[in-house]
Amino acid sequence: ATAFVSCCRVITHPAPVVVVRANILRTMRSILLFGETARTLNVIGDRWSLLILRDAFLGVRRFEELRRRTGAARGTLAARLNDLVTHGVIYKSFYGTSRKRLEYRLTEKGLAIYPVALGMWRWENRWSTEFGLPPRIVHRTCARSVEPVLVCCECNEAIRLDEIDCEAGPATKHTVPRRSGVRRRKAASIEQTGTGIDTALFHAVDTVGDRWTALLVVALFFGLHRYDDISEALGIATNVLADRLRKLLATGVIEQQLYALKPPRYEYKLTDKGRDLFPFTFGLHEWGSRWLPSEFGPSIIFRHRVCEKKLRSRLTCGACGTQLDPHDVDISLDAQPRRSGRVTSPAREQIGRAHV
């Protein structure tokens, strides 16, 4: 129980260990399944929505171009676009002389997802292997290549995982009906990629581009390391959990550590690669907190030990320190594919300046 208590201070009175553990798992389940991150994933927590947003931030707006670049089937793409329109993330706009021609543009709510997209780009840039590096992002303000840094809005200090405290918020005391109709992750074989499909961010999307995997990573950040505890907190089917754990092990996001010999039992811990997903996961939390608030208040409250204030973050340029804005960056595709000990991705057509 100590590991849970140190991670999330939800028990404030003496109680037997079994009771403490049960209470903490109940609270963690509320945070994981109904909290800010979960609400965000209900909107954008699937492969195709994330790829649509990737292209939207590159200025891609028309259906056929989105279909070609993402590789999504027509019906799947249409469904995801309609979902994003329904949730106010994008809106339809007519173009040309015909009122039948539509393009899809980001709303203010959609533009606010930029830290999530940039968090994925940052992770892909550091850890991509089979698909090569994503396009270079250049910050117009300082004309330097972007290296995003997550900083605290209050003290402007870079955020470190070991300098964050968290506690359960008031929303965890309220019962929320279980969401139905959660999208299942559909396997998308990379061998099926065709001409014109853009593989940028594919490693990130393949790794955390479904709701259960992203929630599993969040559970690991909260200190849930053992199979039974994760299963109970997420309420996830055992075969689904086993599949997601295998996937994260295969991609090097987590590692196994033996903690019992008879029978052999393992804990699952985030590797450096896994911990580097924090800016992405915290971006999901903050977007949900702002745009999908609960009537009962926050599910979880983060505090920054450095300034002892409630933690709110922003992504800044590592070179000049100013906040990164999607209107103030250019996308630069090198004449030669970028290499960093990694396999490069297929050539992509140039998309010069980012448009939103």
Side-chain angles (χ1 to χ4, degrees):
T2 304
F4 298 111
V5 175
S6 64
C7 173
C8 187
R9 297 194 304 273
V10 296
I11 304 299
T12 58
H13 58 277
V17 171
V18 174
V19 176
V20 171
R21 179 180 176 279
N23 287 343
I24 291 176
L25 286 175
R26 189 180 304 113
T27 301
M28 291 300 299
R29 182 166 185 168
S30 176
I31 293 170
L32 290 169
L33 295 185
F34 311 119
E36 291 77 10
T37 301
R39 294 196 294 273
T40 298
L41 291 171
N42 289 343
V43 177
I44 64 169
D46 70 274
R47 174 186 186 84
W48 304 115
S49 295
L50 290 171
L51 290 177
I52 289 169
L53 290 169
R54 174 202 68 180
D55 286 347
F57 281 110
L58 291 174
V60 180
R61 299 174 182 143
R62 298 178 183 178
F63 185 94
E64 287 302 324
E65 191 172 4
L66 286 168
R67 186 179 70 83
R68 175 177 60 82
R69 290 173 54 83
T70 63
R74 285 181 177 276
T76 299
L77 179 60
R80 296 301 187 270
L81 288 169
N82 288 335
D83 285 346
L84 293 172
V85 169
T86 299
H87 286 102
V89 174
I90 59 176
Y91 68 95
K92 297 178 182 180
S93 176
F94 293 106
Y95 72 92
T97 57
S98 172
R99 298 287 291 177
K100 294 182 179 180
R101 293 183 176 181
L102 289 171
E103 59 184 14
Y104 298 87
R105 294 173 176 261
L106 290 163
T107 63
E108 181 185 1
K109 188 176 182 179
L111 286 169
I113 298 176
Y114 190 60
V116 176
L118 202 55
M120 291 182 65
W121 175 90
R122 173 186 175 276
W123 190 81
E124 184 94 357
N125 198 48
R126 292 186 175 195
W127 300 101
S128 179
T129 53
E130 58 188 310
F131 300 112
L133 297 175
R136 190 188 310 276
I137 300 179
V138 178
H139 192 206
R140 293 182 205 158
T141 299
C142 62
R144 301 283 295 276
S145 294
V146 168
E147 174 59 35
V149 178
L150 192 70
V151 304
C152 172
C153 289
E154 297 292 341
C155 64
N156 208 40
E157 291 291 325
I159 297 171
R160 293 166 50 94
L161 274 173
D162 59 359
E163 295 174 343
I164 300 173
D165 287 325
C166 59
E167 60 188 49
T172 58
K173 299 177 182 178
H174 297 270
T175 301
V176 181
R178 180 67 181 268
R179 178 180 181 265
S180 61
V182 175
R183 291 191 197 116
R184 297 289 183 182
R185 177 173 62 92
K186 294 184 179 180
S189 174
I190 304 307
E191 287 75 24
Q192 295 176 358
T193 56
T195 303
I197 293 179
D198 188 348
T199 61
L201 300 191
F202 263 31
H203 184 51
V205 171
D206 286 344
T207 303
V208 291
D210 77 273
R211 184 175 181 270
W212 282 126
T213 307
L215 288 176
L216 172 55
V217 170
V218 174
L220 292 165
F221 272 120
F222 282 139
L224 299 175
H225 300 303
R226 299 185 178 180
Y227 187 95
D228 290 343
D229 293 330
I230 296 170
S231 178
E232 186 172 344
L234 287 177
I236 185 173
T238 56
N239 64 314
V240 177
L241 177 56
D243 172 70
R244 300 310 193 268
L245 287 169
R246 280 194 297 268
K247 182 174 73 168
L248 294 179
L249 284 167
T251 54
V253 171
I254 63 175
E255 60 186 1
Q256 288 179 318
Q257 294 182 4
L258 186 70
Y259 73 89
L261 291 175
K262 296 181 179 180
R265 293 185 182 275
Y266 296 90
E267 290 185 328
Y268 299 91
K269 303 288 186 69
L270 290 165
T271 61
D272 289 342
K273 183 177 182 179
R275 286 187 291 272
D276 213 24
L277 283 166
F278 178 72
F280 164 72
T281 57
F282 198 69
L284 294 172
H285 164 82
E286 293 214 300
W287 190 81
S289 180
R290 177 183 176 186
W291 295 99
L292 304 169
S294 166
E295 61 180 309
F296 304 116
S299 294
I300 188 167
I301 300 168
F302 293 95
R303 296 188 186 278
H304 194 205
R305 291 181 199 163
V306 175
C307 59
E308 299 182 345
K309 300 287 183 65
K310 288 183 179 180
L311 181 59
R312 294 181 303 110
S313 72
R314 57 191 176 92
L315 275 172
T316 61
C317 173
C320 65
T322 58
Q323 184 169 354
L324 293 169
D325 184 286
H327 299 94
D328 195 32
V329 297
D330 291 323
I331 307 300
S332 176
L333 298 185
D334 302 315
Q336 296 295 324
R338 292 201 289 149
R339 298 178 183 270
S340 181
R342 304 171 170 114
V343 179
T344 56
S345 58
R348 296 183 294 268
E349 78 280 11
Q350 180 166 346
I351 302 177
R353 177 167 293 182
H355 298 282
V356 293

